[in-house]
Amino acid sequence: MSFAEMDVDTIWMDGEFVDWNDAQIHVLTHGLHYGSGVFEGIRCYDTENGPAIFRWDEHLDRLYASAKPYDLDIDYSRKELTTATTELIRRQGLESCYVRPIAFYGYDSLGVSPAGCPTQVAIACWPWGTYLGEEALEEGVDVMISSWRKHASSQIPTNAKTTGLYVNSMLAGEEARRNGYVEAIVLNKEGNVAEGPGENVFLVRDGEIYTPGLAESILDGITRQTVITLARERGYTVHHNAAISRGELYTADELFFTGSAAEVTPIRTVDDTQIGTGTRGPVTEDLQSAFFDLVERRVDDHDEWFHYVNE
């Protein structure tokens, strides 16, 4: 669904609420030319206690941490960003939504150095359903190994959620879709599994769970952290610092993606090779159910992970 079809009308930008169509920047904005910005993608879920932002504090932690390597000073406090976000959700009457805070170098000069360019900050939120499709949650998705590799942390900080780095994700994802797949998996420079274009990857083998470690050039996803916690609470052995070869994907019992947008999505084929039985596996289903029971507040666990909009 395009933004034009959505019932949203307000964005918070540089300390003010502005009309959706008036949230504009100059064409010579530094961040537009050099990708010099950081952002977050966050889900707000509809619960019996009203809209609740999932793991808001952890997302804020990562937003400020992502800004550090770029000397990008976010002049707004955590409290100010929290107040702005909750008010933005209330103003638009959203019960569930996707929240996108972004900070970037603005307009002043256009050398590669951002010296003199102000930091601009904006927050938008809008309704966003299942990222890879409703049927994907049950049936799984078909993916391919991308010909594009994930950059190494010695080249660009992989632990920062940087706007410009997502050209790598765009190339991998569009390559997959051009070839008839739903999504891609990207390998790192060593040829091991890194992640999806916007997701972390989990592998299940003999009832144990494996996911690439931070040294494999991945972003430490908030949903990744959540699923690791939920899995261990359910008694699963989780290897969270795994190095996974390409070949191990084809012989896995189960594979699944995690992400704020993708949530928990099974993978049914890789390069046309069926994974397990070709359907959502029992471990994936168990963790997926645990995740949605949690975020939709059908269970009372981990209330500390929720920021209720109306409180």
Side-chain angles (χ1 to χ4, degrees):
M1 182 184 293
S2 73
F3 287 125
E5 299 173 276
M6 295 182 187
D7 186 20
V8 286
D9 56 19
T10 306
I11 286 177
W12 183 90
M13 189 170 186
D14 295 328
E16 298 181 353
F17 293 98
V18 300
D19 287 343
W20 186 278
N21 292 331
D22 293 336
Q24 300 177 4
I25 59 172
H26 196 280
V27 71
L28 296 182
T29 292
H30 192 277
L32 177 63
H33 290 255
Y34 301 115
S36 53
V38 298
F39 71 100
E40 284 296 315
I42 311 164
R43 288 275 190 181
C44 175
Y45 289 96
D46 183 15
T47 77
E48 63 179 12
N49 295 318
I53 307 172
F54 185 56
R55 306 208 71 170
W56 172 250
D57 288 336
E58 290 83 356
H59 280 286
L60 273 186
D61 288 343
R62 192 171 65 183
L63 181 70
Y64 285 102
S66 293
K68 285 185 177 180
Y70 306 106
D71 293 325
L72 189 65
D73 293 326
I74 299 175
D75 294 330
Y76 298 95
S77 68
R78 297 174 67 98
K79 183 178 180 180
E80 287 173 312
L81 294 185
T82 301
T83 299
T85 301
T86 54
E87 176 61 21
L88 183 63
I89 293 170
R90 285 195 295 266
R91 283 185 180 218
Q92 300 188 101
L94 295 169
E95 296 179 343
S96 65
C97 61
Y98 188 78
V99 182
R100 171 57 57 88
I102 184 170
F104 56 93
Y105 279 115
Y107 169 72
D108 179 75
S109 61
L110 208 58
V112 174
S113 170
C117 295
T119 299
Q120 292 190 250
V121 182
I123 305 168
C125 57
W126 62 89
W128 200 357
T130 307
Y131 182 58
L132 297 176
E134 289 289 343
E135 68 285 352
L137 293 177
E138 183 173 347
E139 298 176 8
V141 292
D142 301 313
V143 309
M144 67 169 284
I145 304 300
S146 178
S147 65
W148 298 98
R149 293 291 179 97
K150 182 70 185 286
H151 48 268
S153 59
S154 59
Q155 299 167 311
I156 304 174
T158 54
N159 61 329
K161 196 170 176 69
T162 311
T163 58
L165 303 192
Y166 276 77
V167 294
N168 180 253
S169 297
M170 183 187 74
L171 288 167
E174 291 307 298
E175 177 187 39
R177 285 179 278 278
R178 281 196 305 270
N179 285 280
Y181 300 91
V182 173
E183 191 59 296
I185 289 177
V186 182
L187 307 180
N188 60 24
K189 66 182 181 67
E190 289 80 19
N192 291 328
V193 175
E195 57 191 8
E199 309 91 359
N200 291 113
V201 177
F202 283 76
L203 178 151
V204 180
R205 183 171 58 232
D206 296 330
E208 297 190 1
I209 300 169
Y210 300 79
T211 190
L214 302 188
E216 300 299 316
S217 299
I218 70 163
L219 181 72
D220 187 13
I222 308 300
T223 308
R224 173 184 182 272
Q225 297 170 18
T226 300
V227 168
I228 289 171
T229 298
L230 294 177
R232 286 176 172 158
E233 288 175 349
R234 277 150 185 78
Y236 292 106
T237 298
V238 181
H239 306 271
H240 69 279
N241 282 317
I244 300 174
S245 69
R246 176 175 182 166
E248 289 177 276
L249 296 176
Y250 304 122
T251 59
D253 296 330
E254 304 175 37
L255 295 172
F256 61 90
F257 283 134
T258 65
S260 293
E263 297 168 306
V264 180
T265 300
I267 298 170
R268 65 186 180 190
T269 66
V270 178
D271 293 337
D272 301 318
T273 298
Q274 179 177 293
I275 305 304
T277 62
T279 60
R280 178 178 56 187
V283 175
T284 304
E285 184 174 6
D286 186 28
L287 294 176
Q288 189 186 67
S289 295
F291 177 79
F292 283 110
D293 283 346
L294 174 72
V295 298
E296 294 170 3
R297 306 313 285 142
R298 291 190 289 268
V299 295
D300 294 329
D301 299 344
H302 295 293
D303 199 55
E304 73 278 6
W305 285 350
F306 294 85
H307 184 90
Y308 292 95
V309 170
N310 296 324
E311 291 185 357

